[in-house]
Amino acid sequence: MSAALEVVAAGPSLTVQDAGRPGLQRYGITQGGAMDAVAMAEGAVLLGQEPTLAAIEMAGFGGKFRACGGPLRIALTGAAMRARLDGQDQPWNTSLTLEPDALLEIGAADDGAYGYLHVGGGFATPEQIGSRSTHLRSAIGGLEGRALREGDQLPVGEDRGGRTGMVLPRGKRIGQREIRVLWGVQADAFSQDERERFLAIDFDMTTRRDRQGARLKPQGEPFHAESALTGVSDAVVLGDIQVPGDGLPVALLADRQPTGGYPRIATVISADLAALVQIPGHARFGFRLVEEEEALAALRAQRREIAELSRQMRALVRDPRDMGNLLAFNLVDGVISAREEETS
Amino acid sequence: MASQSDTQSIEGAYAEPVLRAAGDSALLIAFGDRLDPAINNAAIAFDARLRAADITGVSETAPTIRSVLVRFDPLEIAPERLRGAVAELLAERDWLAAPPPARRSLWRIPACYGGEHGPDLDEIADLVGCSPAQAAERHAEARQRVFMLGFAPGVAYLGLLPEAWNIPRLKEIRPEMPAGSLLVAVRQTVLFAAAMPTGWRAIACTPFRSFDPRREPPVPIAPGDEIGFVPVDATEFAHLRERAENGESIVDQEELA
C-alpha cells in the first residue's frame, strides 16, 4: 500500500492547496492557491522539497490525522495551532515523523488564521487544470473539489526523504498589525476626507471571511464613495480593498472573483498579503500608505528572506527556548538531525 | 487608422486610454466606462497585442468588458519600465477602431425557457412589454456578443439586448440559481457556469457547461464570440444534459468571417 494521510477528524475548513492556477484570469479563473505563500515556502524548507507541492490548508482549526502505509514526514507552518503527537504537545513551525500508529491532533490557532500541514513528497491528489488547489466554488482540485472530511485518505507523493525534528523561527508576518497599501484603482471615487479616514482609523478583522475575501469592520462610520460608478465590472486583483454598497470594506483574497463592480479604495502590497490573511478574527489592525518604491523594497526583502530560510532552520533540541515541553519531543529525530547538521 | 472624430463619438469611450497601477504587481488599461462593442473590441485587440509582444516579467493579461489587466512581477520588470512599454504599444494605433478578433465563433447553444428552468420569464416579459413566448423567442434570436468571462470560472457576460431589455436588477440577492442559468438585466445576459446566488432574473437554463475542467481549454467560448440560443423543451433539456454530462458536445460552433 502506498503512503497516505488519513483524516481521522476534520475541522470546518481543510482544503488541499498548492501554488494555484496562474494565467487563467481570461477564463474567469483566478489564481487561487495557498492563502499564505510564505508558509508554503517554510514547509518546503522544513522538508527539503519544492514549494509548489500540495499541502493541507487549515482555516482557524485543524483536525486529527494518521499516517497509512508507512511513516510520513510532516511539517507544520503558518498560524500557530495547538498540536499534539500521541497526546504530547508539539511545537509549531517544525518537522516531525508521523509513525503509522501515532495520532497527530491539531487544534485551534493561537495566533494567525491559516495553518498548514505539509507532507514529504506533497499530497498526490489529482491535478485539475494544472493544479491541485481546491476551488470550492467551481468544485475543482483537492479531493472532489471539496473541503476535507473525516475518513478521507489523501495519497502522498514519493518522498525523497530527509531529516525531521527541525524548527524555523516564527515569521514576523504572524502578529503583524500594520498592513501597507497603495491607493486603489478607484481611490478617486472617494473624497479626500474619506481617504484620510481610511488610513487614520483602525479596523477589526471580522469572522465573515473565507478564501474569497474578508469583511473588515471600520472603527467608525461605513465608507462612502463620492462619485457613482457606472456599474461596468472591471478586473480586480489580489489584495484589493473593495467598498460595496454598505460601506464596509472587503479584502479580496486568493479565491476572489476575477471581476467586480464596486470601487476599490486601496490595494495591499504584495509583501504584506501573507500578513493580511493571517490576521485572526476580531484582531484590530490598520493600513499605512506607502509609495511604490517601498512596496517593491518590501517585496525584495521578503523574497530574500524566503531564499535564505534554510539558514534559519535549526534542530529542535538545540534551541530549548522554542520547546514548549521538553519531554514532548521526538528526541531521537532531533538528536540525529542535530548531528547531521553538525557534520554536513 | 480611423480618424479621431470617429472614435470620440463612441459614448463612454475615453479620449485616451487610461493606464492605472492596480497594486504593485498589476496594471489596468481602460478604454472606456460603458458596455460597448467598440470599447470591448479595443480591450480584446490590445490584450492580443500585449500577448504577441510577450514582455519579460508579464505573467498574464486578461481582457474585461472595457479594460485589460496586466499582471507582472515587479522584481522582473520595474513598473515604470512596463508602463513605458505599454504606452508605446498603446500609441501604435487607435484601439477604439479595432475590428472584432480575427478568429471568433458563433455558438448556437440550446436553452429551455420559462417554467422551472426560467422561473422569471413572465416577469421579464412584463418588464420588456411583450408575451412570455415573444420574450423567449426574442431573447433566443438576439445574437449576443461575449463581452467578458468573469465573476467566476466560465461565467460569460453577453449583450447587448435591444433597449426594451434595459430592466433593473432585483432588489434582493436570491439564493443559488443552478449552473447553466441565463440571467438578464440592463440589456445583458449572464450565463452561469456553476450554481451561484444572483441579483438578476432567470429567463432560461442551458444544459451546456461553459466551464468544464475535463476540457482543454476548460472554457471554450472567448470574448468577441457571438451566441444565439436554440429553444428546447424540458424533455429535450434533460436529454441534452445527460449527453453533456457524458462529455458530448451539444452546441454548434461556426467560424465567423
Side-chain angles (χ1 to χ4, degrees), chain B residues 169-202:
Chain B
R169 297 174 177 86
L170 296 166
K171 287 208 173 64
E172 301 285 318
I173 298 286
R174 58 196 302 168
E176 295 213 318
M177 294 304 292
S181 290
L182 297 178
L183 307 146
V184 294
V186 290
R187 298 180 65 192
Q188 295 175 62
T189 302
V190 166
L191 164 55
F192 264 15
M196 282 185 294
T198 180
W200 292 28
R201 291 181 174 85

mmCIF file of all heavy atoms in Angstrom, chain B residues 169-202:
data_model
loop_
_atom_site.group_PDB
_atom_site.id
_atom_site.type_symbol
_atom_site.label_atom_id
_atom_site.label_comp_id
_atom_site.label_asym_id
_atom_site.label_seq_id
_atom_site.Cartn_x
_atom_site.Cartn_y
_atom_site.Cartn_z
ATOM 1 N N ARG B 169 -31.996 45.267 -12.022
ATOM 2 C CA ARG B 169 -31.665 44.095 -11.216
ATOM 3 C C ARG B 169 -32.704 43.952 -10.115
ATOM 4 O O ARG B 169 -33.430 44.904 -9.813
ATOM 5 C CB ARG B 169 -30.278 44.267 -10.579
ATOM 6 C CG ARG B 169 -29.147 44.365 -11.573
ATOM 7 C CD ARG B 169 -27.845 44.687 -10.833
ATOM 8 N NE ARG B 169 -26.693 44.718 -11.728
ATOM 9 C CZ ARG B 169 -26.301 45.775 -12.421
ATOM 10 N NH1 ARG B 169 -26.970 46.912 -12.325
ATOM 11 N NH2 ARG B 169 -25.254 45.725 -13.205
ATOM 12 N N LEU B 170 -32.771 42.794 -9.504
ATOM 13 C CA LEU B 170 -33.663 42.576 -8.359
ATOM 14 C C LEU B 170 -33.146 43.380 -7.170
ATOM 15 O O LEU B 170 -31.955 43.665 -7.069
ATOM 16 C CB LEU B 170 -33.696 41.094 -7.984
ATOM 17 C CG LEU B 170 -34.278 40.144 -9.026
ATOM 18 C CD1 LEU B 170 -33.924 38.704 -8.673
ATOM 19 C CD2 LEU B 170 -35.795 40.314 -9.101
ATOM 20 N N LYS B 171 -34.047 43.718 -6.255
ATOM 21 C CA LYS B 171 -33.614 44.449 -5.053
ATOM 22 C C LYS B 171 -32.866 43.529 -4.098
ATOM 23 O O LYS B 171 -31.982 43.954 -3.376
ATOM 24 C CB LYS B 171 -34.830 45.075 -4.367
ATOM 25 C CG LYS B 171 -35.361 46.276 -5.151
ATOM 26 C CD LYS B 171 -36.041 47.282 -4.232
ATOM 27 C CE LYS B 171 -36.418 48.536 -4.984
ATOM 28 N NZ LYS B 171 -37.439 48.270 -6.037
ATOM 29 N N GLU B 172 -33.271 42.277 -4.084
ATOM 30 C CA GLU B 172 -32.660 41.322 -3.163
ATOM 31 C C GLU B 172 -31.806 40.316 -3.947
ATOM 32 O O GLU B 172 -32.155 39.953 -5.059
ATOM 33 C CB GLU B 172 -33.762 40.520 -2.437
ATOM 34 C CG GLU B 172 -34.719 41.373 -1.637
ATOM 35 C CD GLU B 172 -34.083 41.883 -0.348
ATOM 36 O OE1 GLU B 172 -33.387 41.078 0.297
ATOM 37 O OE2 GLU B 172 -34.283 43.057 -0.021
ATOM 38 N N ILE B 173 -30.707 39.899 -3.320
ATOM 39 C CA ILE B 173 -29.939 38.794 -3.886
ATOM 40 C C ILE B 173 -30.744 37.514 -3.637
ATOM 41 O O ILE B 173 -31.225 37.300 -2.529
ATOM 42 C CB ILE B 173 -28.563 38.683 -3.188
ATOM 43 C CG1 ILE B 173 -27.752 39.963 -3.407
ATOM 44 C CG2 ILE B 173 -27.801 37.461 -3.649
ATOM 45 C CD1 ILE B 173 -27.189 40.145 -4.785
ATOM 46 N N ARG B 174 -30.929 36.717 -4.679
ATOM 47 C CA ARG B 174 -31.687 35.479 -4.468
ATOM 48 C C ARG B 174 -30.738 34.308 -4.268
ATOM 49 O O ARG B 174 -29.618 34.323 -4.765
ATOM 50 C CB ARG B 174 -32.632 35.235 -5.615
ATOM 51 C CG ARG B 174 -31.936 35.137 -6.961
ATOM 52 C CD ARG B 174 -32.895 35.286 -8.080
ATOM 53 N NE ARG B 174 -33.938 34.278 -8.012
ATOM 54 C CZ ARG B 174 -35.036 34.323 -8.737
ATOM 55 N NH1 ARG B 174 -35.242 35.335 -9.549
ATOM 56 N NH2 ARG B 174 -35.936 33.380 -8.655
ATOM 57 N N PRO B 175 -31.213 33.303 -3.535
ATOM 58 C CA PRO B 175 -30.339 32.153 -3.277
ATOM 59 C C PRO B 175 -29.941 31.463 -4.580
ATOM 60 O O PRO B 175 -30.422 31.805 -5.638
ATOM 61 C CB PRO B 175 -31.186 31.248 -2.393
ATOM 62 C CG PRO B 175 -32.578 31.744 -2.493
ATOM 63 C CD PRO B 175 -32.515 33.178 -2.884
ATOM 64 N N GLU B 176 -29.108 30.498 -4.457
ATOM 65 C CA GLU B 176 -28.448 29.893 -5.605
ATOM 66 C C GLU B 176 -29.349 29.578 -6.794
ATOM 67 O O GLU B 176 -30.382 28.932 -6.646
ATOM 68 C CB GLU B 176 -27.766 28.603 -5.157
ATOM 69 C CG GLU B 176 -26.658 28.880 -4.181
ATOM 70 C CD GLU B 176 -25.511 27.913 -4.298
ATOM 71 O OE1 GLU B 176 -25.762 26.714 -4.462
ATOM 72 O OE2 GLU B 176 -24.367 28.380 -4.221
ATOM 73 N N MET B 177 -28.925 30.037 -7.963
ATOM 74 C CA MET B 177 -29.522 29.616 -9.225
ATOM 75 C C MET B 177 -28.582 28.576 -9.826
ATOM 76 O O MET B 177 -27.362 28.695 -9.701
ATOM 77 C CB MET B 177 -29.671 30.799 -10.172
ATOM 78 C CG MET B 177 -30.674 31.855 -9.699
ATOM 79 S SD MET B 177 -32.321 31.185 -9.396
ATOM 80 C CE MET B 177 -32.826 30.770 -11.073
ATOM 81 N N PRO B 178 -29.156 27.550 -10.480
ATOM 82 C CA PRO B 178 -28.303 26.429 -10.921
ATOM 83 C C PRO B 178 -27.328 26.800 -12.042
ATOM 84 O O PRO B 178 -27.506 27.808 -12.731
ATOM 85 C CB PRO B 178 -29.314 25.387 -11.402
ATOM 86 C CG PRO B 178 -30.556 26.145 -11.704
ATOM 87 C CD PRO B 178 -30.573 27.329 -10.781
ATOM 88 N N ALA B 179 -26.331 25.946 -12.215
ATOM 89 C CA ALA B 179 -25.381 26.091 -13.326
ATOM 90 C C ALA B 179 -26.161 26.063 -14.636
ATOM 91 O O ALA B 179 -27.135 25.330 -14.775
ATOM 92 C CB ALA B 179 -24.371 24.948 -13.299
ATOM 93 N N GLY B 180 -25.751 26.888 -15.586
ATOM 94 C CA GLY B 180 -26.424 26.945 -16.882
ATOM 95 C C GLY B 180 -27.515 27.991 -16.933
ATOM 96 O O GLY B 180 -28.066 28.259 -17.997
ATOM 97 N N SER B 181 -27.828 28.607 -15.780
ATOM 98 C CA SER B 181 -28.877 29.632 -15.756
ATOM 99 C C SER B 181 -28.520 30.778 -16.684
ATOM 100 O O SER B 181 -27.367 31.213 -16.749
ATOM 101 C CB SER B 181 -29.055 30.186 -14.335
ATOM 102 O OG SER B 181 -29.639 29.214 -13.507
ATOM 103 N N LEU B 182 -29.536 31.283 -17.418
ATOM 104 C CA LEU B 182 -29.376 32.501 -18.217
ATOM 105 C C LEU B 182 -30.138 33.594 -17.496
ATOM 106 O O LEU B 182 -31.352 33.512 -17.327
ATOM 107 C CB LEU B 182 -29.939 32.299 -19.630
ATOM 108 C CG LEU B 182 -29.255 31.228 -20.469
ATOM 109 C CD1 LEU B 182 -29.929 31.098 -21.828
ATOM 110 C CD2 LEU B 182 -27.779 31.571 -20.661
ATOM 111 N N LEU B 183 -29.390 34.602 -17.035
ATOM 112 C CA LEU B 183 -29.966 35.654 -16.208
ATOM 113 C C LEU B 183 -29.901 36.957 -16.977
ATOM 114 O O LEU B 183 -28.905 37.218 -17.660
ATOM 115 C CB LEU B 183 -29.172 35.755 -14.913
ATOM 116 C CG LEU B 183 -29.064 34.403 -14.210
ATOM 117 C CD1 LEU B 183 -27.744 34.254 -13.490
ATOM 118 C CD2 LEU B 183 -30.211 34.212 -13.243
ATOM 119 N N VAL B 184 -30.965 37.758 -16.875
ATOM 120 C CA VAL B 184 -30.971 39.005 -17.641
ATOM 121 C C VAL B 184 -31.181 40.215 -16.739
ATOM 122 O O VAL B 184 -31.856 40.140 -15.708
ATOM 123 C CB VAL B 184 -32.052 38.999 -18.756
ATOM 124 C CG1 VAL B 184 -31.722 37.951 -19.817
ATOM 125 C CG2 VAL B 184 -33.435 38.787 -18.193
ATOM 126 N N ALA B 185 -30.580 41.324 -17.150
ATOM 127 C CA ALA B 185 -30.758 42.657 -16.557
ATOM 128 C C ALA B 185 -29.968 43.626 -17.424
ATOM 129 O O ALA B 185 -29.051 43.205 -18.145
ATOM 130 C CB ALA B 185 -30.240 42.709 -15.116
ATOM 131 N N VAL B 186 -30.327 44.909 -17.347
ATOM 132 C CA VAL B 186 -29.620 46.006 -18.025
ATOM 133 C C VAL B 186 -29.062 45.633 -19.411
ATOM 134 O O VAL B 186 -27.890 45.847 -19.702
ATOM 135 C CB VAL B 186 -28.514 46.608 -17.119
ATOM 136 C CG1 VAL B 186 -29.141 47.356 -15.964
ATOM 137 C CG2 VAL B 186 -27.562 45.542 -16.585
ATOM 138 N N ARG B 187 -29.931 45.067 -20.257
ATOM 139 C CA ARG B 187 -29.627 44.709 -21.656
ATOM 140 C C ARG B 187 -28.538 43.642 -21.788
ATOM 141 O O ARG B 187 -27.942 43.475 -22.854
ATOM 142 C CB ARG B 187 -29.230 45.958 -22.474
ATOM 143 C CG ARG B 187 -30.329 47.004 -22.558
ATOM 144 C CD ARG B 187 -29.890 48.210 -23.371
ATOM 145 N NE ARG B 187 -29.655 47.852 -24.773
ATOM 146 C CZ ARG B 187 -29.051 48.663 -25.644
ATOM 147 N NH1 ARG B 187 -28.634 49.862 -25.263
ATOM 148 N NH2 ARG B 187 -28.876 48.290 -26.884
ATOM 149 N N GLN B 188 -28.265 42.936 -20.676
ATOM 150 C CA GLN B 188 -27.253 41.894 -20.724
ATOM 151 C C GLN B 188 -27.832 40.546 -20.324
ATOM 152 O O GLN B 188 -28.856 40.465 -19.654
ATOM 153 C CB GLN B 188 -26.114 42.212 -19.757
ATOM 154 C CG GLN B 188 -25.322 43.442 -20.096
ATOM 155 C CD GLN B 188 -24.307 43.724 -19.006
ATOM 156 O OE1 GLN B 188 -23.428 42.933 -18.735
ATOM 157 N NE2 GLN B 188 -24.440 44.867 -18.366
ATOM 158 N N THR B 189 -27.111 39.495 -20.728
ATOM 159 C CA THR B 189 -27.396 38.145 -20.248
ATOM 160 C C THR B 189 -26.142 37.630 -19.571
ATOM 161 O O THR B 189 -25.039 37.836 -20.098
ATOM 162 C CB THR B 189 -27.737 37.206 -21.424
ATOM 163 O OG1 THR B 189 -28.847 37.734 -22.141
ATOM 164 C CG2 THR B 189 -28.080 35.805 -20.924
ATOM 165 N N VAL B 190 -26.296 36.995 -18.431
ATOM 166 C CA VAL B 190 -25.158 36.321 -17.815
ATOM 167 C C VAL B 190 -25.421 34.828 -17.853
ATOM 168 O O VAL B 190 -26.516 34.369 -17.514
ATOM 169 C CB VAL B 190 -24.918 36.804 -16.367
ATOM 170 C CG1 VAL B 190 -23.966 35.867 -15.646
ATOM 171 C CG2 VAL B 190 -24.323 38.203 -16.375
ATOM 172 N N LEU B 191 -24.434 34.099 -18.345
ATOM 173 C CA LEU B 191 -24.516 32.638 -18.413
ATOM 174 C C LEU B 191 -23.724 32.072 -17.245
ATOM 175 O O LEU B 191 -22.502 32.257 -17.159
ATOM 176 C CB LEU B 191 -23.942 32.165 -19.761
ATOM 177 C CG LEU B 191 -23.578 30.694 -19.937
ATOM 178 C CD1 LEU B 191 -24.753 29.780 -19.609
ATOM 179 C CD2 LEU B 191 -23.119 30.430 -21.366
ATOM 180 N N PHE B 192 -24.417 31.400 -16.337
ATOM 181 C CA PHE B 192 -23.765 30.846 -15.144
ATOM 182 C C PHE B 192 -23.099 29.513 -15.442
ATOM 183 O O PHE B 192 -23.687 28.647 -16.070
ATOM 184 C CB PHE B 192 -24.800 30.654 -14.023
ATOM 185 C CG PHE B 192 -24.855 31.804 -13.053
ATOM 186 C CD1 PHE B 192 -24.263 33.018 -13.358
ATOM 187 C CD2 PHE B 192 -25.488 31.654 -11.826
ATOM 188 C CE1 PHE B 192 -24.307 34.080 -12.461
ATOM 189 C CE2 PHE B 192 -25.541 32.709 -10.921
ATOM 190 C CZ PHE B 192 -24.952 33.917 -11.235
ATOM 191 N N ALA B 193 -21.880 29.357 -14.953
ATOM 192 C CA ALA B 193 -21.149 28.111 -15.159
ATOM 193 C C ALA B 193 -21.297 27.178 -13.963
ATOM 194 O O ALA B 193 -21.052 25.986 -14.052
ATOM 195 C CB ALA B 193 -19.680 28.418 -15.398
ATOM 196 N N ALA B 194 -21.687 27.720 -12.820
ATOM 197 C CA ALA B 194 -21.879 26.913 -11.615
ATOM 198 C C ALA B 194 -23.042 27.541 -10.843
ATOM 199 O O ALA B 194 -23.435 28.670 -11.136
ATOM 200 C CB ALA B 194 -20.611 26.913 -10.768
ATOM 201 N N ALA B 195 -23.584 26.813 -9.901
ATOM 202 C CA ALA B 195 -24.677 27.353 -9.097
ATOM 203 C C ALA B 195 -24.160 28.507 -8.247
ATOM 204 O O ALA B 195 -23.112 28.396 -7.610
ATOM 205 C CB ALA B 195 -25.251 26.260 -8.204
ATOM 206 N N MET B 196 -24.886 29.644 -8.276
ATOM 207 C CA MET B 196 -24.444 30.818 -7.520
ATOM 208 C C MET B 196 -25.644 31.691 -7.175
ATOM 209 O O MET B 196 -26.633 31.675 -7.901
ATOM 210 C CB MET B 196 -23.448 31.641 -8.350
ATOM 211 C CG MET B 196 -22.060 31.061 -8.363
ATOM 212 S SD MET B 196 -20.884 32.126 -9.209
ATOM 213 C CE MET B 196 -21.490 32.064 -10.858
ATOM 214 N N PRO B 197 -25.524 32.490 -6.127
ATOM 215 C CA PRO B 197 -26.580 33.472 -5.850
ATOM 216 C C PRO B 197 -26.508 34.612 -6.863
ATOM 217 O O PRO B 197 -25.459 34.840 -7.465
ATOM 218 C CB PRO B 197 -26.244 33.965 -4.442
ATOM 219 C CG PRO B 197 -24.845 33.591 -4.187
ATOM 220 C CD PRO B 197 -24.454 32.515 -5.141
ATOM 221 N N THR B 198 -27.604 35.318 -7.081
ATOM 222 C CA THR B 198 -27.594 36.390 -8.071
ATOM 223 C C THR B 198 -28.668 37.425 -7.766
ATOM 224 O O THR B 198 -29.638 37.145 -7.067
ATOM 225 C CB THR B 198 -27.830 35.832 -9.490
ATOM 226 O OG1 THR B 198 -27.817 36.915 -10.422
ATOM 227 C CG2 THR B 198 -29.171 35.123 -9.585
ATOM 228 N N GLY B 199 -28.476 38.610 -8.307
ATOM 229 C CA GLY B 199 -29.477 39.659 -8.209
ATOM 230 C C GLY B 199 -30.164 39.883 -9.549
ATOM 231 O O GLY B 199 -30.820 40.891 -9.746
ATOM 232 N N TRP B 200 -29.973 38.966 -10.480
ATOM 233 C CA TRP B 200 -30.567 39.087 -11.806
ATOM 234 C C TRP B 200 -31.734 38.096 -11.962
ATOM 235 O O TRP B 200 -31.851 37.134 -11.217
ATOM 236 C CB TRP B 200 -29.523 38.822 -12.903
ATOM 237 C CG TRP B 200 -28.446 39.868 -12.994
ATOM 238 C CD1 TRP B 200 -27.985 40.657 -11.971
ATOM 239 C CD2 TRP B 200 -27.700 40.233 -14.147
ATOM 240 N NE1 TRP B 200 -26.996 41.487 -12.428
ATOM 241 C CE2 TRP B 200 -26.800 41.248 -13.765
ATOM 242 C CE3 TRP B 200 -27.696 39.808 -15.475
ATOM 243 C CZ2 TRP B 200 -25.904 41.840 -14.658
ATOM 244 C CZ3 TRP B 200 -26.809 40.394 -16.366
ATOM 245 C CH2 TRP B 200 -25.929 41.404 -15.962
ATOM 246 N N ARG B 201 -32.583 38.316 -12.992
ATOM 247 C CA ARG B 201 -33.749 37.451 -13.219
ATOM 248 C C ARG B 201 -33.418 36.315 -14.186
ATOM 249 O O ARG B 201 -32.751 36.533 -15.197
ATOM 250 C CB ARG B 201 -34.909 38.280 -13.771
ATOM 251 C CG ARG B 201 -35.491 39.251 -12.763
ATOM 252 C CD ARG B 201 -36.641 40.033 -13.357
ATOM 253 N NE ARG B 201 -37.297 40.860 -12.343
ATOM 254 C CZ ARG B 201 -36.874 42.082 -11.992
ATOM 255 N NH1 ARG B 201 -35.808 42.604 -12.562
ATOM 256 N NH2 ARG B 201 -37.535 42.762 -11.070
ATOM 257 N N ALA B 202 -33.957 35.129 -13.877
ATOM 258 C CA ALA B 202 -33.663 33.944 -14.686
ATOM 259 C C ALA B 202 -34.701 33.777 -15.784
ATOM 260 O O ALA B 202 -35.891 33.646 -15.511
ATOM 261 C CB ALA B 202 -33.637 32.707 -13.790
#
